[in-house]
Amino acid sequence: MSNNWNILNFGNLIILEYGNTLTEENRSGGDYPVYGSNGIIGFHKAYLLDSPNIIVGRKGSVGEVVWANKNCWAIDTTYYVTLKQDNSLRFIYWLLKSFDLRKLDSSTGVPGLNRNDVYRIKCNLPSLPEQEKIAEILDTMDEAIAKTEECIAKLKKIKAGLVHDLLTRGIDENGELRDPVRHPEQFKQSAIGLIPKEWDIKELSQLATVDRGKFTHRPRNDPNFYGGQYPFIQTGDIAQNLGQVIRSYTQTLNENGAKVSREFPVGTIAVTIAANIADTAILGIPMFFPDSIVGVTVFPQFNHRLVELCIRFAKHKLDAKATQSAQKNINLEDLRPLLIPFPRNPKEQDRMSSVYEKFDERLKKEEAYLEKLKLHKKGLMHDLLTGKVRVNHL
């Protein structure tokens, strides 16, 4: 910490005031946001607090710190901040955010935050001009993160539309999406609706072998079958790598495990058929999996990325077929006859796959940039709020 910074307790800087009760049935709607312990939960015609203010979760989402930039109402599951000294409110916001107040949960039932525990926390306080500069820098980081998140959200919407267009219109030899309105002669009716004339309707079993994974030993978690050289994935791994090439794993099988399971080759599309229906990922390395996952091994003459997109596009149809017992599930009889519109020309298959892959790569770059920004912000918060890095040196 810098020599000319003061070390104080939060109790010297702020008062955490109790919010006021405003039940859901009494919220009238209107211009003023109503804050609960985890952010805005409604609107009301009247307000309790002038803006800006800091709302801190007291019950429920303990220790959540939210900035309220409009006049608002804070309900009784929250605290709001009153300054005791002439300090930057925005700096105090960042200072509170830098501490994990959730660790102060003092309840045994519903999570709860005792304000006296917050008051005892020691913090570093620079001069007011330096507070304002620090807050400005961190706000700039927050704005960059928000803009990147907004960009990613837009790209995801565009991506969903792109997949729909690719799988219903295709890409012609000029690299353009076909247009059923301007060129209806390029399309035909099929069992699943309008498709390009150069396409056929195929069952999934005509494009790939479709086989269930397996793990026949019971109990499934017997440690004698795990901890070897063979990667083993389950439905949760697919959900975490949705639509991606999967190379990571958290479990392995030993020789005993491999004997009671089934290995699938690189390029196999792993499709979940229990709990989460029709989540998909493409194997980047050979892997084993249990019977809650189906391996779709695409025949060499077809593009496996395009087949994966078609299965993913049919997720809602497959989910509607799921039987409900202890958990939702489908079986091979649902997957193998799945009707898929598919280009006859391998070059068009590759064009469609390439367009998708390029767009997905752009999205991945934005997501990687977002993670980089978040890490940079975390480091900046530590360095600036402790005085390790002084703003006059930036």
Side-chain angles (χ1 to χ4, degrees), residues 21 28 35 95 113 146 148 179 206 243-244 291 309 333 361 389:
T21 301
S28 61
Y35 282 87
L95 202 55
L113 177 67
T148 306
D179 189 337
Q206 295 176 288
Q244 303 302 316
D291 58 3
L309 285 174
E333 287 66 40
E361 188 61 33
V389 173

Side-chain angles (χ1 to χ4, degrees), residues 63-295:
E64 290 293 329
V65 180
V66 177
W67 180 259
N69 58 5
K70 293 181 62 177
N71 294 349
C72 66
W73 194 290
I75 68 170
D76 56 345
T77 62
T78 70
Y79 297 115
Y80 62 90
V81 171
T82 300
L83 295 181
K84 284 185 171 183
Q85 302 178 18
D86 184 20
N87 290 307
S88 162
L89 186 65
R90 190 65 179 174
F91 176 82
I92 296 298
Y93 163 78
W94 284 114
L95 202 55
L96 284 167
K97 289 280 284 186
S98 70
F99 293 94
D100 189 357
L101 300 183
R102 294 170 299 178
K103 294 180 179 178
L104 300 181
D105 178 11
S106 60
S107 66
T108 55
V110 177
L113 177 67
N114 187 320
R115 59 184 175 177
N116 290 318
D117 292 333
V118 180
Y119 291 160
R120 283 191 284 269
I121 297 175
K122 292 188 180 298
C123 54
N124 305 311
L125 193 72
S127 65
L128 182 58
E130 196 163 357
Q131 291 177 35
E132 292 170 343
K133 184 62 178 176
I134 289 170
E136 180 186 343
I137 293 169
L138 294 176
D139 285 346
T140 300
M141 283 299 305
D142 240 15
E143 288 169 13
I145 289 170
K147 287 179 180 178
T148 306
E149 288 174 335
E150 184 179 344
C151 176
I152 289 171
K154 288 179 180 178
L155 287 175
K156 286 182 176 179
K157 287 183 180 179
I158 294 170
K159 179 180 173 181
L162 175 65
V163 170
H164 177 273
D165 287 345
L166 286 174
L167 299 183
T168 56
R169 297 163 61 182
I171 303 280
D172 64 22
E173 62 274 8
N174 298 317
E176 301 292 334
L177 287 166
R178 296 184 184 86
D179 189 337
V181 176
R182 294 178 60 190
H183 297 287
E185 73 281 359
Q186 297 179 0
F187 292 80
K188 64 183 179 182
Q189 287 294 336
S190 73
I192 61 172
L194 202 65
I195 63 171
K197 282 185 176 179
E198 291 83 359
W199 292 17
D200 294 318
I201 299 296
K202 292 185 177 291
E203 294 186 357
L204 181 58
S205 59
Q206 295 176 288
L207 301 171
T209 59
V210 184
D211 295 305
R212 291 183 79 154
K214 71 175 183 177
F215 191 85
T216 55
H217 181 77
R218 298 295 183 274
R220 293 177 184 269
N221 61 351
D222 188 336
N224 293 315
F225 291 77
Y226 294 90
Q229 62 177 318
Y230 304 106
F232 183 71
I233 58 171
Q234 304 203 50
T235 55
D237 299 296
I238 305 300
Q240 290 176 8
N241 293 273
L242 193 61
Q244 303 302 316
V245 175
I246 181 170
R247 297 182 177 87
S248 59
Y249 50 91
T250 57
Q251 285 183 299
T252 58
L253 300 176
N254 57 25
E255 294 293 340
N256 292 331
K259 289 176 183 177
V260 299
S261 187
R262 173 176 287 165
E263 185 181 40
F264 291 85
V266 171
T268 296
I269 304 163
V271 185
T272 60
I273 61 169
N276 297 322
I277 304 299
D279 284 347
T280 56
I282 298 174
L283 301 192
I285 59 174
M287 290 185 171
F288 289 75
F289 38 80
D291 58 3
S292 56
I293 301 174
V294 165

